[in-house]
Structure formats: C-alpha cells, structure tokens
C-alpha cells in the first residue's frame, strides 16, 4: 500500500478503511488520552509485521492534536509547549547527557522551514555548561544546528549530523522536520513524536539519508509537523504530473512561525525541566 503520508495516524486509518474486511492490524497497539485538554494518541509498532502494514519503522509514535488557530485561547501556546515537553521528556534516554537538536529543511521555503525556524527557539547551553559550570552546571548540555539542504550546501543533512555526533558526542539527537499529510484537517494542527528516527523528505518522494539508531549509533527522536499535501491526494485520483504538485495552507507563514516557536520552547523545556516558559522566552531574548 502506498501511503503518501508521514503521519502514523493516517497510515493506520488507511489500513482500517480498506475495502472489505481488512481484519485486525497485527503488531500495532493504540492508546488515546487527553493531556491539558489536548488529545494525545500513542501508537506502538511492535514488530516487522506491523511496520509493513503501516509503512513505518518499529517504534513508539505520539500524536498531539493542537487547537485550530480560530479556536486558540490565550493559554493555547502554553498548553501546547507543556504537553509537547512532557511527552518528549518521557522519550528521552535516562540521565542528563548532551543533546543535539537538528533542524531539517530549507529555511527559505516556508512549508519546509519548520526545522530551521525551530532551532531559532531552542535554548543552547553546551558552551555555557563548559565555560561557566558554577552558574550552568544544572543545565543539560544542548547544541542546535540547522543543516540546510543538499542543493545549497552540497552536504547531505545526514552526513553533517554524523560528523557532529562524532565530534561533540551527544547522548541523543532530536530531529525536527516538516511532514506530509493526507488530510487537510491535520495540516499545521498536529505534532508527531517518534523514537524511530526520521528519513528527511520521505513524505514528498525525496527520501534522503536516514537519521536513526542504526546510522548514528545513539537514540534519535523525531518531531514533525505536517505542512503539505500532494495535490494528487487532494484530487483523490492519479493525474499525470499532479503527483509532483504540493499544496500548503494559505496562512502557512504565520502557522509555520507559531508552530516552530512552540516546538522550540517544548524541546527546550523537555531538556531543561527546571525552566518555565517565561524563563525560556527571557533566555532567547
């Protein structure tokens, strides 16, 4: 089955909506709950049978459904940050080792800019912990980098991340990227977390170097937001050339900016539990 989506929820829905009786989805366990008023769905892909069924690697996936912009209240940002931080923190390896936050994508193409823009809202501390241990000794060492894209750097994102990991020796990599969805309702309203790593560009047919435990030798957590849909998916038919067109919301500039900031704050709070949202805002300046 060809899913044309990066979202685990949509992949499981496609399986369930097959004609006839698709039967039980073996190797998949799903749990639903609500955190601070936001729906959270956890999907575990337990084995290769489940992975083949939904087209996703074995691992744990969490989907946080955000409030739509028209429904947002004054505390929507705060609650989004808190829920993201809580769920991401539960995926982190034990201990207080260093973390490398990687923003994937093209800063100059708005639907693909979530990763680089998120890095701008992450509090980096590795240099502070090293130089001022008395003041910052309680902080986790955090580095952050926006990798750029092959067409402008000549370097694969994966190659750059491998080199950085060899140099700075983090204990975990957190990769941020824009995703592709099938449903317009999920665009810019969903955050997906996964402990299975990420393959940049896979949702739009441009899969690159995988970032995961196998390639990097350490845990890789992925955080993504769907910002695009293939035009052929919206049309519900295969039209020559249409599969090469990508559709994104008309307010993508504002949505991508707000989501990048929320994710940056959430990642920072997951890594530095002692910081409040206001303290993160102050440290970013």
């Amino acid at each position: 089955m060809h899913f044309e989506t990066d979202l685990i929820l949509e992949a499981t829905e496609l399986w369930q909506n097959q004609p006839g009786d698709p039967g039980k989805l073996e190797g998949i366990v799903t749990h639903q709950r609500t955190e601070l008023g936001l729906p959270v769905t956890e999907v575990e892909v337990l084995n290769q049978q489940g992975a083949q069924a939904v087209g996703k690697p074995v691992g744990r996936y969490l989907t946080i459904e955000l409030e739509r912009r028209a429904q947002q209240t004054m505390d929507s940002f705060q609650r989004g940050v808190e829920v993201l931080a809580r769920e991401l923190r539960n995926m982190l390896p034990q201990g207080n080792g260093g973390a490398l936050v990687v923003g994937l994508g093209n800063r100059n193409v708005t639907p693909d800019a979530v990763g680089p823009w998120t890095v701008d809202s992450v509090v980096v501390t590795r240099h502070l912990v090293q130089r001022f241990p008395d003041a910052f000794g309680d902080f986790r060492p955090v580095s952050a980098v926006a990798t750029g894209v092959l067409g402008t750097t000549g370097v694969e994102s994966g190659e750059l991340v491998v080199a950085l990991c060899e140099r700075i020796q983090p204990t975990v990599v957190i990769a941020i990227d824009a995703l592709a969805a099938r449903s317009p309702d999920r665009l810019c309203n969903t955050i997906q977390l996964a402990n299975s790593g990420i393959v940049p560009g896979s949702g739009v047919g441009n899969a690159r170097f995988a970032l995961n435990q196998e390639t990097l030798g350490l845990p890789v957590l992925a955080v993504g937001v769907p910002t695009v849909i293939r035009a052929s998916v919206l049309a519900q038919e295969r039209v020559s050339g249409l599969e090469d067109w990508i559709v994104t919301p008309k307010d993508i500039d504002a949505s991508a900016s707000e989501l990048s900031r929320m994710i940056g704050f959430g990642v920072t709070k997951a890594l530095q539990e002692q910081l409040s949202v206001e303290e993160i805002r102050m440290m970013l300046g």
Side-chain angles (χ1 to χ4, degrees):
M1 184 185 298
H2 188 58
F3 295 98
E4 294 183 317
T5 179
D6 290 316
L7 302 182
I8 189 76
L9 284 187
E10 293 186 334
T12 56
E13 289 170 356
L14 282 171
W15 175 273
Q16 294 162 352
N17 292 334
Q18 289 184 89
D21 182 7
K24 183 180 179 182
L25 191 51
E26 299 290 345
I28 304 292
V29 177
T30 302
H31 303 282
Q32 294 181 322
R33 49 191 164 85
T34 300
E35 300 290 344
L36 299 180
L38 301 179
V40 177
T41 303
E42 180 175 348
V43 177
E44 292 184 83
V45 181
L46 303 175
N47 51 40
Q48 289 303 318
Q49 183 178 3
Q52 185 174 4
V54 297
K56 307 297 176 189
V58 171
R60 181 172 172 236
Y61 300 78
L62 286 168
T63 302
I64 304 169
E65 297 179 52
L66 304 173
E67 294 173 338
R68 297 180 183 277
R69 292 186 67 194
Q71 300 170 331
Q72 290 179 0
T73 60
M74 291 295 291
D75 69 339
S76 293
F77 179 83
Q78 172 94 21
R79 288 188 293 117
V81 169
E82 295 286 353
V83 174
L84 172 58
R86 184 183 305 172
E87 302 299 339
L88 185 59
R89 188 181 304 123
N90 289 336
M91 285 186 163
L92 291 171
Q94 294 295 317
N96 203 38
L100 172 62
V101 181
V102 177
L104 301 168
N106 189 337
R107 181 182 294 273
N108 299 315
V109 179
T110 305
D112 195 33
V114 169
W117 289 0
T118 292
V119 166
D120 296 339
S121 293
V122 172
V123 174
V124 293
T125 56
R126 178 172 175 264
H127 60 305
L128 299 174
V129 173
Q130 291 177 340
R131 295 186 60 186
F132 308 106
D134 291 341
F136 293 95
D138 292 336
F139 282 72
R140 182 192 293 263
V142 176
S143 307
V145 61
T147 60
V149 292
L150 182 64
T152 58
T153 65
V155 181
E156 286 276 10
S157 296
E159 293 174 327
L160 179 59
V161 176
V162 167
L164 278 172
C165 288
E166 291 176 351
R167 176 66 178 177
I168 68 176
Q169 297 290 303
T171 59
V172 63
V173 169
I174 301 175
I176 321 293
D177 201 8
L179 306 178
R182 289 184 60 90
S183 169
D185 292 337
R186 290 201 168 99
L187 289 182
C188 301
N189 293 317
T190 303
I191 298 177
Q192 177 174 276
L193 314 181
N195 66 358
S196 57
I198 192 168
V199 181
S202 59
V204 292
N206 188 31
R208 315 303 299 180
F209 186 105
L211 301 177
N212 53 35
Q213 178 85 43
E214 288 70 31
T215 59
L216 297 182
L218 71 162
V220 178
L221 306 182
V223 183
V225 173
T227 59
V228 298
I229 301 178
R230 283 182 179 272
S232 57
V233 171
L234 283 177
Q236 296 296 310
E237 59 186 21
R238 289 285 182 177
V239 179
S240 179
L242 197 58
E243 61 270 14
D244 296 326
W245 288 74
I246 299 296
V247 179
T248 194
K250 65 179 181 181
D251 63 345
I252 186 61
D253 298 76
S255 294
S257 177
E258 292 170 8
L259 284 166
S260 299
R261 188 163 167 266
M262 178 184 291
I263 295 171
F265 275 53
V267 169
T268 296
K269 189 161 177 55
L271 295 169
Q272 317 290 359
E273 187 174 0
Q274 74 276 23
L275 293 180
S276 67
V277 170
E278 186 57 37
E279 287 171 331
I280 294 172
R281 185 177 289 111
M282 292 175 60
M283 292 186 73
L284 290 170

